[in-house]
Amino acid sequence: MSAPLVSPRYNIDTLAEQLLNGHRAALARGITLVESKKGEHREYAEALLTKVMDATGKAYRIGITGVPGVGKSTTIDTFGSNLTAAGHKVAVLAVDPSSTRTGGSILGDKTRMAQLAVDRNAYIRPSPTAGTLGGVAAKTRESMLLCEAAGFDVILVETVGIGQSETTVAQMVDFFLALMLPGAGDELQGIKKGVLEIADLIAVNKAEGDGLTRARLAASQYRTALHILTPRSKHWSPPVVTISGLANVGLDDLWSQLNIFKERMQANGDWDKKRAEQQLSWMWGLLNEKLQTALKANPEIKSALPDVEAAVKSGRLPATAAASKLASLFGI
Ligand code: GDP
């Protein structure tokens, strides 16, 4: 047996044991460790993840996106509380690389989810602070695994539709839910077509009282828009539902849809296949990042790069020849 990894603050064996027993403080410390930017913490984070790996993978991983103001936090608060009342343990994580706030992002902020914030069967963690999307997402993926190891069986990963963050989150979850505003109009509120392409379900929010008619109209427009897209899976056509996160309307139906999806995908094997593909592409993504870093840090590459780049820019050197030249300097 190798000696336990011990640092002044972290005894990994103890931390793993406490985390597996569902200690919230241990989970928080574990996440702080995976989020740490200190090089020496990486080794501890990886040791911790390896130790708890067998206890991961049992949760339903759900991504939630939508423009600011659509009602993400309100809906997560209500939906998550419904789930904890039904005996689930719900973790809320976030991916928000645009965040520049110190100490965390506005996404996944406890103050936005008043009920869940005081619910002992819920755990809310804001997005890791600003960094590259890949970096932020990698930390959220690792936090997700720690939450699963700590016994959380529903993981909600919140993101805003900025840049590539939606696609990135869709690649780390089992089910991707897009919340939409009930605003009518053929512009579909400027929602990028890309969101419709990756969503497993569209929920038009604020469908209560005066908003109900508008929400239903918007829902029928989304159904039309979805019809012209080729579904990603032959086993699933993304449904469009109307909900009210505020009034807790339609959220039971939403959960039923999620369960139908899960049962169907588990039965046809796509569930495991998707997860396996996600893991592999994550590994390759990380490896590519490491290779890039090593490449750019290589002294020969560093000294050759300005001239090679200038030659490519001015059209003196074909990009293919430049790539070959740099690769051979790197020894590949
Ligand atoms: P987020 O920015 O997407 O997290 O949106 P919030 O959850 O903060 O909600 C934005 C605003 O919309 C707040 O004033 C909420 O009270 C309101 N809101 C959220 N959900 C609903 C809903 O279902 N119905 C109505 N009428 N208002 C809602």
Side-chain angles (χ1 to χ4, degrees):
M1 283 258 302
S2 57
L5 277 170
V6 182
S7 84
R9 280 192 61 211
Y10 300 104
N11 177 323
I12 294 306
D13 285 345
T14 313
L15 190 58
E17 197 181 307
Q18 291 172 338
L19 199 144
L20 290 167
N21 283 327
H23 287 206
R24 300 173 68 94
L27 174 60
R29 283 177 64 206
I31 295 182
T32 302
L33 188 56
V34 302
E35 287 182 352
S36 171
K37 294 191 173 79
K38 287 202 183 123
E40 72 264 28
H41 285 167
R42 198 43 358 219
E43 190 189 344
Y44 298 118
E46 283 169 12
L48 177 65
L49 284 159
T50 307
K51 274 192 189 305
V52 303
M53 202 62 192
D54 281 350
T56 66
K58 294 181 195 83
Y60 201 151
R61 303 165 177 171
I62 303 161
I64 299 184
T65 192
V67 295
V70 69
K72 290 182 296 302
S73 49
T74 309
T75 303
I76 290 171
D77 199 27
T78 314
F79 184 57
S81 301
N82 292 351
L83 292 175
T84 60
H88 294 282
K89 287 187 77 182
V90 178
V92 182
L93 306 174
V95 170
D96 181 14
S98 67
S99 163
T100 50
R101 272 174 45 156
T102 45
S105 130
I106 42 165
L107 288 187
D109 188 337
K110 289 182 186 151
T111 58
R112 294 160 67 237
M113 300 168 196
Q115 285 184 78
L116 274 190
V118 293
D119 189 329
R120 46 188 289 278
N121 289 314
Y123 180 78
I124 303 173
R125 183 85 181 192
S127 173
T129 41
T132 62
L133 174 57
V136 169
K139 291 180 194 314
T140 302
R141 273 177 188 273
E142 292 184 340
S143 301
M144 179 161 80
L145 295 175
L146 295 183
C147 289
E148 292 180 355
F152 289 87
D153 67 324
V154 179
I155 317 282
L156 304 174
V157 184
E158 185 187 8
T159 196
V160 192
I162 296 169
Q164 286 296 307
S165 63
E166 285 157 330
T167 319
T168 304
V169 170
Q171 283 163 357
M172 67 170 85
V173 295
D174 305 309
F175 191 97
F176 195 64
L177 163 65
L179 293 186
M180 301 292 186
L181 285 165
D186 55 6
E187 78 281 12
L188 295 177
Q189 304 138 18
I191 296 294
K192 294 167 290 175
K193 191 163 148 264
V195 178
L196 296 183
E197 278 167 352
I198 57 174
D200 295 303
L201 184 142
I202 306 272
V204 181
N205 192 31
K206 312 199 182 184
E208 88 280 301
D210 294 348
L212 191 57
T213 314
R214 277 192 306 142
R216 286 187 177 148
L217 180 64
S220 77
Q221 287 176 337
Y222 284 117
R223 279 186 202 106
T224 311
L226 281 170
H227 270 302
I228 37 180
L229 295 175
T230 321
R232 270 173 305 133
S233 163
K234 61 177 185 297
H235 303 292
W236 186 256
S237 305
V240 180
V241 302
T242 56
I243 60 163
S244 169
L246 194 63
N248 201 356
V249 176
L251 298 179
D252 289 347
D253 181 44
L254 180 65
W255 184 238
S256 304
Q257 293 286 352
L258 275 145
N259 284 317
I260 294 170
F261 177 89
K262 185 177 182 180
E263 279 164 26
R264 202 177 289 174
M265 295 306 179
Q266 286 189 333
N268 65 36
D270 279 4
W271 183 271
D272 287 340
K273 206 169 122 203
K274 182 170 166 181
R275 280 199 172 182
E277 280 165 7
Q278 287 176 340
Q279 292 304 313
L280 264 190
S281 81
W282 182 22
M283 182 197 81
W284 276 107
L286 292 171
L287 198 56
N288 283 338
E289 231 168 74
K290 280 189 198 296
L291 279 173
Q292 283 252 1
T293 311
L295 188 77
K296 286 179 179 158
N298 180 294
E300 289 190 56
I301 300 276
K302 257 183 171 169
S303 70
L305 207 52
D307 286 348
V308 174
E309 278 192 336
V312 172
K313 267 197 216 159
S314 67
R316 279 180 286 123
L317 185 66
T320 45
S324 299
K325 184 176 172 176
L326 292 170
S328 72
L329 283 177
F330 194 56
I332 52 173

